[in-house]
Amino acid sequence: MIRWIRQQLGFDPPHQSDTRTVYIANKFPQHGHYIPQRFADNRIISSKYTIWNFIPKNLFEQFRRIANFYFLIIFLVQLMIDTPTSPITSGLPLFFVITVTAIKQGYEDWLRHKADNEVNGAPVFVVRSGSLVQTRSKNIRVGDIVRVAKDETFPADLVLLSSDRAEGTCHITTASLDGETNLKTHYAVPETAVSQSVSRLESLQAVVECQQLFIFYLFVCLFIFLVIPFRPLGSENLLLRGARLKNTKEIFGVAVYTGMESKMALNYKCKSQKRSAVEKSMNTFLIIYLGILLFEAILSTILKYAWQAENKWDEPFYNQKTDQERNSSQILKFISDFLAFLVLYNFIIPISLYVTVELQKFLGSFFIGWDLDLYHEESDQKAQVNTSDLNEELGQVEYVFTDKTGTLTENEMQFRECSINGIKYQEINGKLVPEGMTEDSPDGSVPCLNGEEELFLKAVSLCHTVQISYDQTDGPGDPFSHANGFSPQMEYYASSPDEKALVEATKSPQALRERYLMTFCLSLGEKVLFTKGAESAVLPYTTSGEIDKTRVHVDEFALKGLRTLVVACRHFSADEYQEVDRRLHEARTALQQREERLVEVFNFIEKDLELLGATGVEDKLQDKVQETIESLRLAGIKVWVLTGDKHETAVSVSLSCGHFHRTMNILELVQQKSDRECAEQLHRCDVCLCLCRIKEDHVIQHGLVVDGASLSLALREHEKLFMEVCKNCSAVLCCRMAPLQKAKVVRLLKTSPEKPITLAIGDGANDVSMIQEAHVGIMGKEGRQAVRNSDYAIARFKFLAKLLLVHGHFYYIRIATLVQYFFYKNVCFITPQFLYQFFCLFSQQTLYDSVYLTLYNICFTSLPILVYSLFEQLVHPHVLQSKPALYRDISKNSLLSFKTFLYWTFLGFCHAFVFFFGSYILMGEDTTLMGNGQVSVSPASLPSSLLFSYSRSCVSVAGLLLC
């Protein structure tokens, strides 16, 4: 406990070197003066507060708000000087607001504590003292050997020591980390792969030497044995915390990173606080009203002294000053009077505005989850709100950035065509048929494969990461011993849906058996390298094969909207293979610059390739994608598609989903090689757009296609021109985009001079940076990492239309009305107080009762507008969906513009004058005030000593009207 306290205070840092030395099973050297390194425990802490720091930390955060800090100052002033109102009038509303907010934030943090306790208290098994003991996850120490069973999550970052598989491998899923549901294969340390018993693991004499913190994707590690040479390890040997063990009975691993030093905890990206346009407007309005408050206080103070400067205004006997007061400093008196007027008028600032807005957003967010139109029955997923602070931003979106695969499409691939040695084949009823032929050969037999075709099929069968999962088979045995060669529980997992589609296309029992035999034959015969990838990554390194014909076929596949992969190979002689093996071993065992050395070796290997062919896989569009994009366009929202697919495939999908129209003039900025070429092409695009504007041709719309390489050149020196071209286009398609480029495009547009509101929607880990960068982020089909980093989550792209056009419309109108009404009602409330000072000789007398001052903001006028802002529907939802153009009426923050704000403020002042002087005139001469027949006298005949009571009675009518 003392050590932990010292670490928390910073006096005892957990580690002090650049590398960490982990002793297996914590068997430290027994000789010398060895001091073991200190590491963090295995507790995960996502909570914000503790019992000890909740009150001071929460108060500090709340008083960072301008309104709360302002009322705190007013409350302190009321305590220090003699003010016309009681400190309760400011203190009680402030206490109410602070308490409600603290309860809300405390409850949310309690939920985080609860989730942390479930994770930290989860039961785990570790090897200690020669036996397998059960403990809690938080008790795992660096160096402990941990046992993980099938379908369990890894409690820490582990180096895989052994598994129940003979080859020492295991399969994991990282869906909770990056949204990918495919199986990934990891490998045990070869020297320990056979150590599957607790006794053998306990007897290990070894040390793991690795980097101190695993922040990046590269894991550099050495497994050092005390009796044999060291073994280099990489990311394929590391099991990350949060991943789940699949298709493997059990594994043993040594903990190298624990708790807040695990990869999952270190890579928690702290999302920047997104502030809505409404919140920014609120802060601006508060500053303006603060200026009005200071003006009224200063003016009243000056008029008081100007009024009292005339001798005819003798002080009444009950308000005469003492000698000490007469002889006190005039400056101090002026400051005291100014502060008194400041307290008197301070209710022009709506103290309950923030808490009412927070309640409205919090309660209003439930309507999204309750909407059955946003519920996807097939996946049993409803819409999810992660950030209620941005509800109103859904009604202000001007640009939508969307991923293609899995967002616009189903991300469920089906093999359709391929090209082998320059000959195109099609898939017909499960058979591969050359183009121009039917599925049945003349003699009813399947033609024999030539060498090129056989090598292509070998590459497709071997060069992938597909794994087969069985529900019943846990022990050793032939996986194809089931009836007819198949198990009905067989499932395929792959690192990409393309690979899964290719393997499923050849999933006959014979093909799967042959796959294992071919692997065996290749390992005994010649050495062949198989590779596949995008044509831009593979074709430049090919030197033989039907390159031109295959390139034409790839373009044809892409024009049909198919996803393409190019397949190639390279044959190694015995000497070449030995040279490659030597270089790889040297690069993998390097502790310094390992990644750079590996890249250099891979570049040496992946050259002089022989082109085998290409594949075409279809990814179907989701339901109602075209109708949704058209509705967004009619609503004035521009849609940009950001995808990693090649140019032709992306354009074909854009045309099929309605993002591009057939009549649209498509401008291209692709395959630019230099800054000069890029600049010339941008100028040509700009000239084309300018000519259309000069001719006033509003019929022809323009679309822009840009690839990742050209985008990098355009943003290097021609950013302004590029953005000008983009903004003048109706639709923009960015292809061959890296994840960071997606985020850069979003950031570039949202920081432009117009400051448009942006929305990004994606479904995978590669879309997280784009989602976080936009003003509003939405998760599409899948991906838990994307869910955590998104503000809203919907199951299908088609739900985006109602989310924006209906919910966004309602949220914005409701919150805008709430904010404007708060400022309006406070002007109506406090202006009579200011006008009353002219009738009481600026004696700082209050017009309202203290209870009325206290409850006006937090009760009388907050609850009605809160109910209104939750249920009001000015237009029926069906009308908003059928007429998307209504979305344009609230764009550009129109209901909270400065002009609208001045209108509400002017209206408040007008109504305040009507309330005050209307009541004054209504209660004029010869007006019966009492039920017993007593008649009030004219205000002009009232002495100043009685005018106060009279005016309070008059303006009470105004207060009742406001309620």
Tab-separated table of all heavy atoms in Angstrom, residues 64 135 177 221 241 257-258 261 279 282 316 335 371 437 443 493 514 521 565 650 681 788 800 834 861 865 891 902:
chain	number	residue	atom	x	y	z
A	64	ARG	N	-15.367	25.979	-13.629
A	64	ARG	CA	-14.703	26.447	-14.838
A	64	ARG	C	-15.710	27.031	-15.814
A	64	ARG	O	-15.332	27.743	-16.739
A	64	ARG	CB	-13.935	25.296	-15.492
A	64	ARG	CG	-12.738	24.835	-14.666
A	64	ARG	CD	-12.109	23.588	-15.241
A	64	ARG	NE	-11.594	23.790	-16.585
A	64	ARG	CZ	-11.074	22.834	-17.333
A	64	ARG	NH1	-11.011	21.597	-16.855
A	64	ARG	NH2	-10.613	23.089	-18.535
A	135	THR	N	-6.949	-16.650	-8.929
A	135	THR	CA	-6.870	-15.353	-8.290
A	135	THR	C	-7.695	-14.365	-9.105
A	135	THR	O	-8.381	-14.755	-10.066
A	135	THR	CB	-5.399	-14.878	-8.191
A	135	THR	OG1	-5.363	-13.625	-7.483
A	135	THR	CG2	-4.787	-14.699	-9.558
A	177	LEU	N	-11.297	-4.981	-29.787
A	177	LEU	CA	-10.231	-3.984	-29.939
A	177	LEU	C	-10.378	-3.177	-31.215
A	177	LEU	O	-10.273	-1.953	-31.203
A	177	LEU	CB	-8.856	-4.678	-29.922
A	177	LEU	CG	-8.515	-5.466	-28.653
A	177	LEU	CD1	-7.159	-6.121	-28.813
A	177	LEU	CD2	-8.520	-4.557	-27.439
A	221	CYS	N	11.100	-7.785	-29.068
A	221	CYS	CA	11.292	-8.570	-27.852
A	221	CYS	C	12.319	-9.666	-28.107
A	221	CYS	O	12.457	-10.172	-29.233
A	221	CYS	CB	9.958	-9.184	-27.411
A	221	CYS	SG	10.053	-10.247	-25.964
A	241	ARG	N	-4.222	-7.793	-24.345
A	241	ARG	CA	-5.334	-7.765	-23.398
A	241	ARG	C	-6.609	-7.329	-24.121
A	241	ARG	O	-6.617	-6.394	-24.915
A	241	ARG	CB	-5.032	-6.789	-22.266
A	241	ARG	CG	-6.199	-6.633	-21.300
A	241	ARG	CD	-5.858	-5.824	-20.090
A	241	ARG	NE	-6.922	-5.886	-19.101
A	241	ARG	CZ	-6.757	-5.751	-17.803
A	241	ARG	NH1	-5.555	-5.533	-17.310
A	241	ARG	NH2	-7.774	-5.846	-16.966
A	257	TYR	N	3.083	-6.966	-20.025
A	257	TYR	CA	2.525	-5.635	-19.777
A	257	TYR	C	1.206	-5.815	-19.034
A	257	TYR	O	0.358	-6.615	-19.450
A	257	TYR	CB	2.264	-4.874	-21.083
A	257	TYR	CG	3.493	-4.680	-21.943
A	257	TYR	CD1	3.649	-5.377	-23.126
A	257	TYR	CD2	4.488	-3.789	-21.566
A	257	TYR	CE1	4.768	-5.209	-23.923
A	257	TYR	CE2	5.613	-3.605	-22.350
A	257	TYR	CZ	5.748	-4.319	-23.529
A	257	TYR	OH	6.861	-4.145	-24.315
A	258	THR	N	1.019	-5.085	-17.963
A	258	THR	CA	-0.170	-5.245	-17.130
A	258	THR	C	-0.860	-3.918	-16.899
A	258	THR	O	-0.230	-2.852	-16.984
A	258	THR	CB	0.201	-5.850	-15.761
A	258	THR	OG1	1.231	-5.054	-15.173
A	258	THR	CG2	0.680	-7.275	-15.903
A	261	GLU	N	-0.451	-0.201	-18.293
A	261	GLU	CA	0.681	-0.265	-19.205
A	261	GLU	C	0.449	-1.263	-20.339
A	261	GLU	O	1.331	-1.457	-21.177
A	261	GLU	CB	1.959	-0.643	-18.452
A	261	GLU	CG	2.429	0.434	-17.490
A	261	GLU	CD	3.685	0.057	-16.748
A	261	GLU	OE1	4.078	-1.131	-16.794
A	261	GLU	OE2	4.270	0.943	-16.123
A	279	GLU	N	-23.752	25.322	-28.087
A	279	GLU	CA	-22.977	25.648	-26.890
A	279	GLU	C	-22.095	26.874	-27.122
A	279	GLU	O	-21.954	27.724	-26.228
A	279	GLU	CB	-22.127	24.455	-26.480
A	279	GLU	CG	-21.381	24.656	-25.173
A	279	GLU	CD	-20.598	23.438	-24.750
A	279	GLU	OE1	-20.769	22.376	-25.388
A	279	GLU	OE2	-19.820	23.542	-23.780
A	282	MET	N	-24.336	29.831	-26.915
A	282	MET	CA	-24.696	30.105	-25.525
A	282	MET	C	-23.610	30.918	-24.828
A	282	MET	O	-23.901	31.898	-24.124
A	282	MET	CB	-24.932	28.795	-24.775
A	282	MET	CG	-26.255	28.127	-25.090
A	282	MET	SD	-26.350	26.439	-24.426
A	282	MET	CE	-25.823	26.699	-22.749
A	316	PRO	N	-34.332	60.829	3.526
A	316	PRO	CA	-35.397	60.666	4.521
A	316	PRO	C	-34.809	60.274	5.870
A	316	PRO	O	-33.683	59.793	5.961
A	316	PRO	CB	-36.260	59.560	3.920
A	316	PRO	CG	-35.359	58.823	2.981
A	316	PRO	CD	-34.392	59.826	2.454
A	335	ILE	N	-17.552	51.727	-5.232
A	335	ILE	CA	-17.382	50.296	-5.500
A	335	ILE	C	-18.449	49.482	-4.782
A	335	ILE	O	-19.023	48.535	-5.341
A	335	ILE	CB	-15.976	49.841	-5.082
A	335	ILE	CG1	-14.914	50.518	-5.959
A	335	ILE	CG2	-15.848	48.330	-5.159
A	335	ILE	CD1	-13.493	50.208	-5.550
A	371	ASP	N	-36.674	4.752	-30.914
A	371	ASP	CA	-37.261	4.837	-32.250
A	371	ASP	C	-37.170	3.475	-32.943
A	371	ASP	O	-36.080	2.989	-33.263
A	371	ASP	CB	-36.533	5.893	-33.082
A	371	ASP	CG	-37.279	6.229	-34.359
A	371	ASP	OD1	-38.174	5.449	-34.752
A	371	ASP	OD2	-36.980	7.273	-34.972
A	437	MET	N	-17.949	-19.628	-72.744
A	437	MET	CA	-18.339	-21.037	-72.723
A	437	MET	C	-19.452	-21.243	-71.711
A	437	MET	O	-19.656	-20.441	-70.801
A	437	MET	CB	-17.136	-21.919	-72.371
A	437	MET	CG	-16.004	-21.880	-73.393
A	437	MET	SD	-14.640	-22.976	-72.931
A	437	MET	CE	-15.476	-24.571	-72.908
A	443	ASP	N	-18.213	-33.160	-73.325
A	443	ASP	CA	-18.229	-34.559	-72.884
A	443	ASP	C	-18.641	-34.738	-71.444
A	443	ASP	O	-18.558	-35.827	-70.893
A	443	ASP	CB	-16.857	-35.192	-73.109
A	443	ASP	CG	-15.758	-34.409	-72.390
A	443	ASP	OD1	-16.083	-33.361	-71.802
A	443	ASP	OD2	-14.592	-34.862	-72.434
A	493	TYR	N	-13.024	-18.166	-40.943
A	493	TYR	CA	-12.604	-16.873	-40.419
A	493	TYR	C	-11.392	-16.425	-41.235
A	493	TYR	O	-10.484	-17.216	-41.511
A	493	TYR	CB	-12.222	-16.957	-38.946
A	493	TYR	CG	-13.377	-17.294	-38.034
A	493	TYR	CD1	-13.675	-18.613	-37.728
A	493	TYR	CD2	-14.161	-16.294	-37.480
A	493	TYR	CE1	-14.730	-18.932	-36.893
A	493	TYR	CE2	-15.214	-16.596	-36.634
A	493	TYR	CZ	-15.493	-17.921	-36.342
A	493	TYR	OH	-16.532	-18.226	-35.521
A	514	GLU	N	-6.578	-31.177	-50.633
A	514	GLU	CA	-5.445	-30.891	-51.506
A	514	GLU	C	-4.636	-29.730	-50.977
A	514	GLU	O	-3.423	-29.682	-51.144
A	514	GLU	CB	-5.968	-30.591	-52.914
A	514	GLU	CG	-4.858	-30.413	-53.947
A	514	GLU	CD	-5.404	-30.072	-55.309
A	514	GLU	OE1	-6.621	-29.836	-55.413
A	514	GLU	OE2	-4.621	-30.038	-56.256
A	521	CYS	N	3.827	-30.713	-49.987
A	521	CYS	CA	4.694	-30.899	-51.151
A	521	CYS	C	5.597	-29.689	-51.367
A	521	CYS	O	6.773	-29.828	-51.688
A	521	CYS	CB	3.840	-31.145	-52.396
A	521	CYS	SG	2.963	-32.734	-52.382
A	565	LEU	N	-8.036	-8.296	-56.692
A	565	LEU	CA	-6.748	-8.656	-56.122
A	565	LEU	C	-5.899	-9.282	-57.225
A	565	LEU	O	-6.408	-10.065	-58.043
A	565	LEU	CB	-6.901	-9.648	-54.962
A	565	LEU	CG	-7.498	-9.115	-53.659
A	565	LEU	CD1	-7.721	-10.267	-52.689
A	565	LEU	CD2	-6.582	-8.073	-53.033
A	650	ALA	N	-14.286	2.113	-57.083
A	650	ALA	CA	-14.948	3.158	-56.309
A	650	ALA	C	-15.930	3.948	-57.165
A	650	ALA	O	-17.056	4.254	-56.736
A	650	ALA	CB	-13.900	4.087	-55.695
A	681	GLN	N	-3.549	19.952	-63.327
A	681	GLN	CA	-4.840	19.281	-63.345
A	681	GLN	C	-5.863	20.019	-62.483
A	681	GLN	O	-7.040	20.136	-62.853
A	681	GLN	CB	-4.684	17.836	-62.862
A	681	GLN	CG	-5.964	17.017	-62.893
A	681	GLN	CD	-6.500	16.824	-64.294
A	681	GLN	OE1	-5.766	16.946	-65.267
A	681	GLN	NE2	-7.794	16.545	-64.405
A	788	ARG	N	-17.144	2.579	-29.629
A	788	ARG	CA	-16.659	3.335	-28.471
A	788	ARG	C	-16.235	4.745	-28.856
A	788	ARG	O	-16.325	5.663	-28.050
A	788	ARG	CB	-15.491	2.596	-27.818
A	788	ARG	CG	-15.900	1.414	-26.971
A	788	ARG	CD	-14.747	0.935	-26.121
A	788	ARG	NE	-13.681	0.397	-26.942
A	788	ARG	CZ	-13.566	-0.887	-27.271
A	788	ARG	NH1	-14.477	-1.743	-26.851
A	788	ARG	NH2	-12.576	-1.314	-28.015
A	800	LEU	N	-29.560	6.731	-41.465
A	800	LEU	CA	-28.973	8.071	-41.346
A	800	LEU	C	-29.962	9.148	-41.758
A	800	LEU	O	-29.940	10.256	-41.210
A	800	LEU	CB	-27.710	8.152	-42.214
A	800	LEU	CG	-26.902	9.442	-42.133
A	800	LEU	CD1	-26.370	9.655	-40.730
A	800	LEU	CD2	-25.736	9.408	-43.131
A	834	PHE	N	-34.574	47.072	-12.902
A	834	PHE	CA	-33.774	48.240	-13.302
A	834	PHE	C	-34.655	49.486	-13.415
A	834	PHE	O	-34.280	50.580	-12.951
A	834	PHE	CB	-33.082	47.931	-14.633
A	834	PHE	CG	-32.377	49.096	-15.238
A	834	PHE	CD1	-31.200	49.595	-14.681
A	834	PHE	CD2	-32.881	49.729	-16.368
A	834	PHE	CE1	-30.543	50.680	-15.237
A	834	PHE	CE2	-32.230	50.804	-16.926
A	834	PHE	CZ	-31.056	51.294	-16.370
A	861	THR	N	-39.819	28.864	-14.122
A	861	THR	CA	-39.691	29.033	-15.572
A	861	THR	C	-38.829	27.968	-16.244
A	861	THR	O	-38.642	28.013	-17.461
A	861	THR	CB	-39.087	30.418	-15.883
A	861	THR	OG1	-37.832	30.537	-15.200
A	861	THR	CG2	-40.012	31.515	-15.443
A	865	ILE	N	-40.494	25.003	-19.941
A	865	ILE	CA	-39.722	24.997	-21.186
A	865	ILE	C	-38.983	23.668	-21.363
A	865	ILE	O	-38.743	23.233	-22.487
A	865	ILE	CB	-38.735	26.198	-21.209
A	865	ILE	CG1	-38.089	26.343	-22.584
A	865	ILE	CG2	-37.671	26.029	-20.132
A	865	ILE	CD1	-39.045	26.614	-23.707
A	891	SER	N	-30.473	25.286	-41.322
A	891	SER	CA	-29.026	25.165	-41.520
A	891	SER	C	-28.313	26.441	-41.100
A	891	SER	O	-28.932	27.494	-40.903
A	891	SER	CB	-28.719	24.843	-42.980
A	891	SER	OG	-29.164	25.887	-43.818
A	902	LEU	N	-30.864	39.025	-31.192
A	902	LEU	CA	-31.259	40.413	-30.941
A	902	LEU	C	-32.781	40.564	-30.949
A	902	LEU	O	-33.334	41.349	-30.169
A	902	LEU	CB	-30.639	41.322	-32.004
A	902	LEU	CG	-29.121	41.509	-31.939
A	902	LEU	CD1	-28.652	42.433	-33.058
A	902	LEU	CD2	-28.699	42.062	-30.585
